[in-house]
Amino acid sequence: MKTELTGMTAAELSAWAREQGLPAFRGKQIFQAIHRGEDFAEMSSLPAALREQLRESAVAQPVRIRAERVSRLDGTVKFLFSLEDGNCVEGVLMKYHYGYSLCISTQVGCRMGCRFCASTLEGCVRNLSAGEMLGEILAADRYLREKEPPEEGGDGQAPRVSHVVLMGSGEPLDNYDQVMKFLRLLREPDGLRISLRNVSLSTCGLVPEMYRLAEENLPVTLCVSLHAPNDEIRRRTMPIANRYTISEILEACRNYLRKTGRRVIFEYALSEGVNSREEDARELASRLRGLQCHVNLIPLNPVKERSLKGVTEKTVSRFLRVLEEEHISATRRREMGDDIEGACGQLRRAALSAEERAAGEDGAAG
Ligand code: SAH
């Protein structure tokens, strides 16, 4: 198997270079080239024979863009990334006034089983490595270099991803070690140098790992997919609610706030007949009172394999109004790329089933 170099720090790459009988400075050169998004063929600072040798034994860019869809509504780009072993995951690139934000996947599939989510329908295939998570950013940066000319009056540099959200497929805290490694790679001095203050990590609420994360001394924003005002409602859509109660989650959030000074964001997907009544909003407000936090409301995006429904705009506004009356900071999350199967796991499923159909038509279905 080829060695994946993307997940290594500059120091690890230098050590690896020495093991290969190369001078240590080659390790640093390769590290810098990888983080500029170069594949071995493009590493002009290396001798041609070395580039060829590396190509045979190692991987510099483990993630490729297999398909992309651009939203006509807001320019959001949904990527289907392919990995070296043929698996694929999704990413979403969004342009904000402050720069480009990329939503990345942390696992192929997911084993959390949330009933509204398309990513989890076939369980978790495998964890992504730190290098693959970094590779998603490198692939998006490459896309920006090719598609977006440098801004006029700017520094002549192509735009790059400046913000990262771990909100694609997978449960980041279920792939804890590789996610921590990835976060540390982001701030390597010769690497992408993305500030961890620009990184958000979303979890369905794995309480022990939330405590562990608070001890890492990494200033990432913690987002928690709450989706319910009480445990009874939460258990209807989220199996993880059988393991941890909302009280335990909120205690872990208070601890995170104490340790990092960063307010917690709660995700709340509204579904008709499940969690969208006025009394649900009041109960949610009473649970969150006194906690420095923000609530992101979003109408549930119905997934065709699931029976759960979304809600009308009127229901969103009513829910929001109650939270505001109760002095809970809340917004309706901007829904981006609504026309491009923006919800978790939907594009991957669409692509996989299209491929299955094509394979079937060829008579080559496995
Ligand atoms: N496992 C992590 C991160 C991935 S999901 C987590 O649970 O937070 C990213 C967000 O999208 C979560 O808040 C998830 O609950 C939400 N989500 C998944 N499917 C959705 C759907 N069909 N409609 C609205 N939100 C959805």
Side-chain angles (χ1 to χ4, degrees):
M1 219 174 90
K2 292 185 178 183
T3 310
E4 184 196 273
L5 304 183
T6 338
M8 295 186 189
T9 61
E12 285 167 346
L13 238 164
S14 295
W16 180 83
R18 274 195 303 271
E19 278 167 28
Q20 308 300 303
L22 299 168
F25 76 90
R26 290 288 183 216
K28 188 169 176 181
Q29 276 180 329
I30 297 168
F31 180 89
Q32 289 170 334
I34 286 175
H35 288 247
R36 282 196 300 269
E38 294 172 12
D39 212 338
F40 295 125
E42 298 159 312
M43 296 186 189
S44 51
S45 53
L46 306 180
L50 176 57
R51 294 202 301 250
E52 186 54 28
Q53 180 193 329
L54 289 170
R55 209 172 55 80
E56 278 168 19
S57 63
V59 177
Q61 304 293 334
V63 176
R64 307 271 159 198
I65 296 170
R66 171 153 144 192
E68 74 214 29
R69 282 192 200 172
V70 183
S71 163
R72 277 188 295 274
L73 302 174
D74 53 30
T76 294
V77 188
K78 179 113 191 189
F79 296 115
L80 189 64
F81 292 127
S82 60
L83 310 173
E84 287 282 306
D85 66 356
N87 273 306
C88 57
V89 293
E90 294 171 18
V92 184
L93 182 66
M94 292 155 285
K95 186 175 185 176
Y96 290 97
H97 63 275
Y98 50 73
Y100 283 93
S101 172
L102 183 70
C103 171
I104 65 159
S105 292
T106 56
Q107 295 176 317
V108 181
C110 182
R111 60 189 186 120
M112 295 298 126
C114 299
R115 281 192 46 225
F116 41 80
C117 182
S119 298
T120 195
L121 286 165
E122 272 127 31
C124 181
V125 178
R126 70 168 175 87
N127 284 333
L128 292 200
S129 65
E132 287 173 323
M133 291 178 235
L134 192 89
E136 294 179 67
I137 305 177
L138 296 174
D141 278 346
R142 176 181 285 261
Y143 173 90
L144 286 172
R145 268 202 304 284
E146 287 166 4
K147 296 281 159 80
E148 296 277 320
E151 286 200 357
E152 251 176 70
D155 56 6
Q157 303 281 315
R160 288 184 8 180
V161 170
S162 59
H163 291 66
V164 179
V165 295
L166 282 68
M167 253 196 210
S169 69
E171 166 51 50
L173 297 184
D174 187 39
N175 181 13
Y176 192 88
D177 293 342
Q178 291 300 310
V179 166
M180 293 309 123
K181 191 157 190 236
F182 161 71
L183 294 175
R184 294 199 161 90
L185 278 172
L186 289 180
R187 56 179 191 188
E188 277 275 305
D190 285 320
L192 294 177
R193 300 182 60 164
I194 293 177
S195 162
L196 293 186
R197 296 184 182 279
N198 295 350
V199 176
S200 301
L201 182 154
S202 182
T203 178
C204 63
L206 301 188
V207 168
E209 286 78 12
M210 289 167 72
Y211 280 98
R212 232 178 125 189
L213 181 66
E215 300 300 324
E216 300 279 354
N217 211 3
L218 299 172
V220 300
T221 298
L222 181 64
C223 305
V224 178
S225 300
L226 202 57
H227 304 322
N230 60 49
D231 294 318
E232 196 188 326
I233 294 180
R234 199 163 194 259
R235 283 189 206 113
R236 287 173 58 192
T237 56
M238 300 180 73
I240 195 67
N242 294 306
R243 185 121 53 101
Y244 306 111
T245 63
I246 292 180
S247 298
E248 288 169 323
I249 290 175
L250 296 181
E251 198 42 51
C253 290
R254 284 188 200 97
N255 176 66
Y256 193 80
L257 183 70
R258 270 196 303 274
K259 291 275 156 76
T260 63
R262 302 187 69 76
R263 73 171 182 174
V264 175
I265 312 272
F266 293 106
E267 309 288 334
Y268 198 103
L270 291 157
S271 177
E272 193 60 54
V274 180
N275 62 359
S276 61
R277 297 167 306 174
E278 221 173 301
E279 62 197 86
D280 297 328
R282 299 234 180 259
E283 188 176 2
L284 178 66
S286 76
R287 301 294 297 259
L288 300 184
R289 187 151 298 118
L291 176 61
Q292 218 182 316
C293 67
H294 181 82
V295 178
N296 263 333
L297 293 177
I298 176 173
L300 186 120
N301 199 332
V303 171
K304 70 174 185 300
E305 293 83 353
R306 304 294 206 189
S307 58
L308 292 166
K309 293 195 281 283
V311 291
T312 60
E313 271 313 311
K314 212 172 133 197
T315 303
V316 182
S317 314
R318 188 185 58 195
F319 205 94
L320 189 58
R321 201 181 53 239
V322 173
L323 293 181
E324 283 165 354
E325 278 168 19
E326 302 277 347
H327 306 291
I328 301 293
S329 159
T331 38
R332 182 201 192 293
R333 190 165 82 189
R334 208 171 131 200
E335 258 174 304
M336 303 188 77
D338 229 3
D339 55 336
I340 51 169
E341 311 212 56
C344 260
Q346 288 183 346
L347 180 61
R348 173 166 173 262
R349 288 190 64 75
L352 290 180
S353 59
E355 271 168 27
E356 273 161 23
R357 275 199 306 279
E361 282 154 19
D362 287 340

